[in-house]
Every structure is written in C-alpha cells, then in structure tokens.
Amino acid sequence: MNMRTSRRRGASPGAHSASSARATPERGGRRGGRGAASAPAGTCWLYGLHAVHAALENPARRLRQLLVTAEAQETLAAKLEGGFPIQAVRAERAQLDALCGADAVHQGMALLADMLNPPDLDTVLEQPGPVLVLDQVTDPRNVGAILRSAAAFGAVAVVMQDRNAPDETGTLARAASGALEVVPLIRVVNLSRVLDALKARGLWVVGLDAGGGILDGAAFHQRRVALVLGAEGAGLRRLTREHCDEIAGLAMSSQMESLNVSNAAAVALYEMFRHR
C-alpha cells in the first residue's frame, strides 16, 4: 500500500458546528468526480460509510477534513475502535449533497484526504497473488468494483495505464467499498512494458477476451497469473493482446455474449482463487 505513514489528527474526537464546515470547491488534483465539487490539488473527497471508514483506519492516508451529520457521526464512532483520528465537523445533509453531487449516496459523511501514493510494482510483487491489468477501462464505478473483487479474491494490485483511466475520486472509492485502501491502484505510462516486466518476474499473462480457450483456474495452479481486461465494447487493444501469453474467455451460457468488465473480473478472479 501507500508507504507514507503520516496522518493529520484533530484536536479531539468531537464535532465542530456546521458553520465551520467550509468545504470550498477548488481545482482538483486530477479531473475530479462528475457532479461533485472539486478538491485541492493532490486531494479528493471520499464519501459513503465503507469508503470513509476504511480511509480513516488507513495509516497511509493523510486526512484533511471530515464532514458528518449527527447521525453519521454516531455510526462512524461505533465502527472506529480507536476513536476519530481527525476532528469531525458537523454538517447538514444539504451541504453534503452539494459537495458530493446530487446523485451521490454519501450516507451523511464526506472525507477530504490526500490521494494515495501506491508502492512500486516490484514491491507489490513481493506478495503472493494474481495481478489485474486494466487496458483503458474508464468508468470509475467499474474500476471501483474491480478493486472490490481484487480485495475479495486476493489480488495484490490493480494496474492501469495513466492515460484514459479514471482518477481517484469519491465515485471510484465508494464503488470499491473500502478496497481502495487495501489493494494498490498502480498507474503506469506504458502498459506493454509492464506486461513484459510481469513476464520477466515469472507471471503468466492472460488476456481475458474472446478468441481463445476457456479460462481454467486449475491449469494455473502452479503458475502466478496476471489477468488483463479491456474496455467494454472495444476489448483488449491489438498491442495489448500481442503482449499476452494467451487469450482466454469465461465459461458462460450462449444466451449471453459478454459480461460487464467488473463482473468479468470478479468471475475470473474467483476461478483463479478457488484453485489456489
């Protein structure tokens, strides 16, 4: 995970009044979340119980500001064994609606925090488990759901190309349901070079796409695997396919041609996990 251990803590675990909750929109560190106020450079607003709770308990997160309704503060307090690591600031639900976006399910809480600094790939590969590689998967909800499956089935990292990939936002973090704090999300410049690097470290690179055999986890029992998934519709790009050791698809009914990329990732990871 993030190798930094610094963390900003509040003076006390109590809540300030709503008048002190000045969540002023500023330019974001990257592109910011759709429909939500942007955050200061290098930070993002996280919202929703699982995302906020996981971030508060992650010592690698530098915490900036926590906004909560009265009810949400009680809910968080019950889940935080060591108490609040940052001063909670009381806010009204309407404030959080305006901050997070009209469609955001914030559950009465929003946390401004620094973006995570992921470890390098070599550090990640010191741990056992598969690696997920995303080839231009752009929907933050899909990436968040993939992170959640990665955490559930023991993947050590999710790797994606920095270009044409979503930023770390509240939308992504909420879809990840806390997994953003558990599974490193590593951004790289050149995906093909990363696939070659994974091969050099002994991983078997499997592109998940039509045109190959059926993914069989038992066949990889003695091999460490990197699963590569492409964008919905377009699938894997040609150059990405060429850098895979093999192409494999999922066993599924003929009544359905394909799955959403996040669902496909979950099924593929489970297939690998059950044969470990």
Side-chain angles (χ1 to χ4, degrees):
M1 279 300 302
N2 186 313
M3 308 307 292
R4 292 186 303 171
T5 57
S6 61
R7 180 176 214 177
R8 178 170 293 185
R9 296 178 178 272
S12 70
H16 283 255
S17 66
S19 62
S20 63
R22 295 180 56 200
T24 305
E26 300 181 47
R27 287 195 298 270
R30 288 177 183 248
R31 289 184 289 273
R34 179 183 298 180
S38 57
T43 70
C44 62
W45 281 102
L46 308 176
Y47 56 81
L49 176 60
H50 295 299
V52 170
H53 173 238
L56 289 173
E57 291 201 328
N58 181 7
R61 276 282 188 189
R62 184 169 184 184
L63 312 175
R64 300 287 185 173
Q65 187 178 25
L66 174 63
L67 307 180
V68 292
T69 63
E71 181 181 3
Q73 186 179 0
E74 292 182 5
T75 302
L76 270 176
K79 292 180 70 68
L80 292 168
E81 295 182 2
F84 285 88
I86 184 175
Q87 182 74 56
V89 177
R90 190 65 54 79
E92 298 300 324
R93 185 166 291 274
Q95 288 177 278
L96 297 174
D97 289 343
L99 176 69
C100 301
D103 298 330
V105 184
H106 52 69
Q107 297 175 284
M109 61 193 76
L111 173 67
L112 181 65
D114 284 10
M115 293 183 180
L116 289 168
N117 276 338
D120 58 44
L121 193 57
D122 285 338
T123 300
V124 164
L125 293 177
E126 293 175 0
Q127 307 170 50
V131 174
L132 277 179
V133 181
L134 307 183
D135 184 17
Q136 296 194 330
V137 177
T138 58
D139 189 326
R141 293 174 181 82
N142 277 335
V143 174
I146 288 169
L147 281 167
R148 187 174 184 177
S149 296
F153 298 120
V156 296
V158 173
V159 180
M160 60 183 185
Q161 195 167 16
D162 192 46
R163 185 179 179 183
N164 295 323
D167 299 315
E168 184 178 327
T169 63
T171 299
L172 187 155
R174 191 177 193 287
S177 194
L180 181 60
E181 313 299 323
V182 177
V183 180
L185 185 59
I186 300 176
R187 299 173 183 274
V188 299
V189 175
N190 189 307
L191 213 58
S192 297
R193 290 178 185 172
V194 168
L195 295 180
D196 287 340
L198 290 172
K199 292 178 186 180
R201 292 293 299 267
L203 279 78
W204 188 256
V205 179
V206 179
L208 200 64
D209 207 350
I214 299 298
L215 183 69
D216 180 6
F220 303 106
H221 180 64
Q222 300 297 327
R223 288 186 287 183
R224 190 176 186 183
V225 172
L227 287 171
V228 189
L229 295 100
E232 288 195 54
L236 297 174
R237 290 176 296 168
R238 179 189 58 79
L239 190 59
T240 303
R241 289 176 67 96
E242 290 175 356
H243 279 77
C244 293
D245 291 308
E246 68 176 271
I247 301 297
L250 299 175
M252 56 194 300
S253 167
S254 59
Q255 295 179 345
M256 187 59 61
E257 182 179 347
S258 63
L259 291 175
N260 168 281
V261 64
S262 62
N263 292 334
V267 173
L269 283 170
Y270 173 71
E271 174 63 22
M272 306 303 300
F273 182 80
R274 73 189 185 97
H275 291 289
R276 288 175 62 180

